[in-house]
Amino acid sequence: MGNSATEAGDTPGGRGRALASTIRQRLFGRFRNTGLVLGALFFFASLTPSLTPRITVAQAVLSGLCLAAGYGLGVLLRWLWAYLELPLPGAGGEKQRRRIVLASCAALAAIALWRSQHWDNIVRTLMHLEPAAPARALGVLAGALLVAVLAVVVGRAALAAVRAVMGLVARRVPRRIARVVGAIAGVLLLVGLVNGVIFSAILDMLDASYRQADSLIPPEMQAPQESDSPGSAQSLVAWNELGRMGRRYVDARPTAADIAQLAGPGAKAPLRVYAGLPTGDTPEERARLALEELKRVGGFSRKALVIITPTGTGWVDPSGIDGIEYLYRGDMASVAVQYSYLSSPLTLFLDPDTGGVTARALFREVYGYWRTLPAGQRPKLFLHGLSLGALNSERSFELFELLEEPFDGAVWSGPPFAASQWAGLTRARTPGTPVWLPQFEDGSFVRFMNQEGSSTPPGTPWGPMRLVYLQYGSDAVTFFDRNSFFRRPELLDAPRPPDVSPAMRWYPVVTAMQMAMDTSLSMSAPMGFGHVYAPSHYIDAWLEVTGIDDWSPEDVARLQRHLDERRASELSKVPDQTVDG
């Protein structure tokens, strides 16, 4: 009978059942105590305040990933402990230890969920938002458990794949070599599978989706009739080649009558020039076309000209350009060229160079022509960009190229943490000034501003070129710190920014995961917080850069209120306008 059982186990069906049982055990087997404890601690910390409020789904995903990360780290630490042959608890009290661990984890989770509404409301109150609903905790718990289990199962599957490769290698080489070579080969196989199959499929889907959205023209958005507008019958740029964001930008320019209501008589309609991706095969072709269109509409005969570098999808933040158009009473022009139709994070990850190449091509064309004009007969020249646009606008020139004839200034808002020039200036700040509002030397070349203004003393003289970075402390796109996995970020040092809660604490690994989630949520923050920059703060920055002084403080305040109220109303009707690409 014993031989019969053995023979049955050796049949194809028996081997299949044994394999299935092994797979189930590997993927859904018992959870380790050390992993559960550290996972519960990570789950607890994930619910504490960070830079932005989190909706239920976002909090559930974050808490689930933190729970899974804590569990994985706990299992790794236990394995390392055993590998070093340090003493481990015996099997005798395993059941009692299990009960204690489960009870402790349940208590930690219950306390965290009970406090989670209060922690979220701390940030919501700071940003003048309505309190979170009590039922949020149940959604967070259910979603977090689902995400955590899926993450652990995927992690176990990846580990099983690595072990399988190690087993194959071990048949041909010595055991110790097999472990190293097999582990490396298994990891490379997984990375290749994810990048070559899964990731490629996702990118193809996103590419098709964004391309289709970019070409979509809403029926109510008709081509402009004014001859000085891109997309008109007289334009060098066809309406259907502007792209979705270009059409939105051109269509939203204020009229002379709009500006006159706040700026007084004599206002003009500002000029807006835009070249979409379909207008040329290369960044250089699109930049040359934008220059010709700018010359056609008379952009170089205005008092000021702004070279705008848009975000990933080609979006130009209306808050950033409306204010300066009003300050100049419409007597100005702006020009932008699209370099992608993917969102900013995808563009930065998949094609990090094209944005900088495009920004540089446009700057060379416009600046090169601008330099040929007599100094007294050309407009003031400014640069502007938000987020990825700020990063690429920084890259559009080299300082040594500007020694003889510098442009007049720039306003860069929400520079991402990867912006090298911004990061270098921040590191070189005057000792004692905070990372969220630094001062660089005497403030004559570059200044940093937030909701409350600049750290540079009023009346400080400017040099020949004026650079201003507008940044909010609650903007994780700017202040995400890759080192915060294992080191407290400088943003949390005292004094803190006015829009960052004093209740925010640093927790190893978890805080970095919180801030990473905040980067994706910062564009859904209320205006004046996160990555949503208010027109009134842009106006303060533009006043610094342009030196405009023919507006009374009362008129400036009236303009700021008007544009803030209008933008807030627009965002309430079409919230997706805050999305950075």
Side-chain angles (χ1 to χ4, degrees), residues 249 268-273 294 297-308 321-335 366 370 373 375-384 407-410 542 545-548:
Y249 173 62
K268 299 179 179 180
L271 302 173
R272 292 186 174 185
V273 171
L294 189 62
V297 299
F300 290 94
S301 63
R302 297 295 178 103
K303 285 185 178 179
L305 171 60
V306 181
I307 302 175
I308 301 174
I321 192 63
D322 287 349
I324 187 174
E325 289 177 335
Y326 274 80
L327 289 173
Y328 270 106
R329 295 175 169 83
D331 194 8
M332 63 155 291
S334 58
V335 57
V366 175
W370 176 81
L373 303 175
Q377 299 177 27
R378 63 191 183 194
K380 286 192 171 185
L381 183 60
F382 304 106
L383 273 59
H384 171 56
F407 60 86
D408 293 275
W542 280 121
V545 169
T546 61
I548 291 174

Side-chain angles (χ1 to χ4, degrees), residues 73 481-489 506-510 512:
L73 185 59
D481 185 353
R482 286 166 287 198
N483 296 320
S484 60
F485 279 95
F486 306 106
R487 187 184 69 192
R488 174 189 170 94
W506 174 70
Y507 303 97
V509 180
V510 175

Side-chain angles (χ1 to χ4, degrees), residues 333-345:
S334 58
V335 57
V337 171
Q338 185 181 20
Y339 53 87
S340 174
Y341 44 76
L342 297 174
S343 66
S344 289

Side-chain angles (χ1 to χ4, degrees), residues 346-421:
L346 285 174
T347 302
L348 186 60
F349 181 69
L350 299 173
D351 192 8
D353 299 324
T354 301
V357 171
T358 302
R360 184 154 181 78
L362 180 60
F363 179 81
R364 281 181 170 175
E365 292 290 340
V366 175
Y367 175 73
Y369 181 79
W370 176 81
R371 285 189 61 181
T372 66
L373 303 175
Q377 299 177 27
R378 63 191 183 194
K380 286 192 171 185
L381 183 60
F382 304 106
L383 273 59
H384 171 56
L386 163 70
S387 191
L388 186 60
L391 181 150
N392 287 320
S393 185
E394 279 188 351
R395 298 172 173 175
S396 65
F397 63 92
E398 297 288 349
L399 284 176
F400 68 83
E401 300 174 322
L402 312 174
L403 294 179
E404 292 184 7
E405 292 186 272
F407 60 86
D408 293 275
V411 170
W412 291 313
S413 52
F417 63 91
S420 56
Q421 179 176 294

